[in-house]
Amino acid sequence: MHLGFPKTATTTIQAMLAANADRLGPGVAVSPKDELTLKLRKNALRYMRSGGKFWFKWRHGVAMREMVRKIDAMDFETLLISDENMVGIESGKIFDPPGGVDCAAWVKRLDAALSGYEVTYVLYTRDPAPWRVSAYNQAFKMRRVTEPFADWAVKHDDLGGPARIVEELRGFLGERLKTLDMADEIGPGKLMGRYLLELAGVSEERIAGIVVPPRKNESLPPAAIEFLKCARANPRLRGARYRDLVRLCARHPDLFSKEFHA
């Protein structure tokens, strides 16, 4: 079970799993943030964003039971599920002060629902300082944040937040929780998500034949963030127009690179 964290190449890993679902060997099935966990992440995120409305927590519980029924009907030896949002973990929240996010309670609920299976949980981590910047950029891109980074950072100043979440989860998952620095899978000849494939029992021969799709959902460059802040000041750029502009910036980060303007 790949729980994230957000902004640790989760989208890249999910794209890799989706592109290679039929190449991982007999008995290995994957669910890379797809229909299987759709209702879980929708209701977990709605619960977090609503300030804790019970209705969404109840619906999340219903969605978990529905997911387990679907899993029970599947044919596999190992099922690799990847969805960083199904327990409500969101990039803009992981650096909140203590008490802001209770991921442990949500993972406990998930673990109880999957008690009929042997489950290993995986979290990728990264260096906190650039991670926080990336989390802000993602929240800004998703229109969850409009304030400057300096102001946002004052309210999201807990660089030890991810480590605290890991320790809270390890308190009841023990050795079933695995962590890995994403930097260990970045570089020439390396594969983002390799650790997950190895845990799932995918052979070295099959890993060597993995197709790597183009990277997606990378953080917006600082220049793009500044451009969008200026765009938001224009009253004509609201709603769908602004969303289209954000998507355009996300698809063409090269337009904001130094090399492009050289």
Side-chain angles (χ1 to χ4, degrees):
M1 182 77 69
H2 176 214
L3 295 177
F5 282 104
K7 306 314 298 178
T8 58
T10 51
T11 304
T12 297
I13 291 172
Q14 289 153 4
M16 179 273 292
L17 293 175
N20 296 276
D22 298 329
R23 296 184 175 90
L24 304 182
V28 180
V30 298
S31 171
K33 202 172 184 178
D34 56 16
E35 192 69 24
L36 184 64
T37 55
L38 175 62
K39 292 182 180 179
L40 266 73
R41 63 178 172 271
K42 277 191 172 183
N43 287 293
L45 291 176
R46 285 170 178 168
Y47 175 83
M48 295 297 185
R49 293 168 184 171
S50 71
K53 289 187 177 180
F54 178 78
W55 169 246
F56 295 122
K57 188 174 183 178
W58 178 82
R59 291 186 65 178
H60 185 269
V62 173
M64 277 197 299
R65 292 189 289 274
E66 182 180 326
M67 181 189 71
V68 173
R69 286 195 294 269
K70 290 180 179 178
I71 292 174
D72 289 343
M74 295 171 66
D75 182 21
F76 62 85
E77 294 179 11
T78 301
L79 173 61
L80 176 50
I81 299 175
S82 175
D83 189 338
E84 71 275 24
N85 296 134
M86 63 182 163
V87 291
I89 300 178
E90 198 169 12
S91 58
K93 298 289 186 180
I94 54 179
F95 295 101
D96 279 4
V101 179
D102 187 8
C103 296
W106 289 80
V107 176
K108 283 181 180 178
R109 285 158 50 87
L110 179 65
D111 195 48
L114 294 169
S115 60
Y117 295 90
E118 295 181 10
V119 186
T120 298
Y121 297 87
V122 179
L123 282 169
Y124 280 70
T125 62
R126 60 186 288 192
D127 182 55
W131 189 358
R132 184 172 61 157
V133 174
S134 183
Y136 166 80
N137 289 348
Q138 178 71 7
F140 185 91
K141 184 172 76 172
M142 298 302 292
R143 302 174 302 283
R144 301 289 175 195
V145 171
T146 59
E147 61 192 326
F149 173 74
D151 295 338
W152 178 87
V154 171
K155 294 176 286 187
H156 300 78
D157 62 347
D158 185 12
L159 293 180
R164 186 182 67 253
I165 293 172
V166 167
E167 289 310 307
E168 288 173 352
L169 298 183
R170 198 179 302 282
F172 65 91
L173 293 177
E175 291 303 311
R176 291 192 297 132
L177 176 66
K178 310 295 183 182
T179 61
L180 181 74
D181 191 320
M182 65 177 283
D184 293 343
E185 295 186 346
I186 295 176
K190 295 184 178 181
L191 174 68
M192 186 58 66
R194 180 187 183 93
Y195 183 63
L196 291 170
L197 298 178
E198 291 176 344
L199 280 178
V202 180
S203 69
E204 284 294 322
E205 181 181 3
R206 290 185 180 274
I207 291 177
I210 289 293
V211 173
V212 181
R215 292 188 65 179
K216 297 181 178 180
N217 199 33
E218 295 188 61
S219 293
L220 291 173
I225 295 290
E226 293 306 313
F227 170 73
L228 289 171
K229 287 178 182 176
C230 294
R232 286 188 64 88
N234 187 332
R236 295 183 180 181
L237 291 173
R238 291 288 189 270
R241 287 184 177 180
Y242 181 75
R243 289 194 294 272
D244 289 342
L245 190 59
V246 172
R247 294 189 185 103
L248 183 65
C249 292
R251 290 171 186 167
H252 300 282
D254 52 296
L255 297 177
F256 301 90
S257 67
K258 292 182 180 179
E259 291 77 8
F260 180 81
H261 297 285

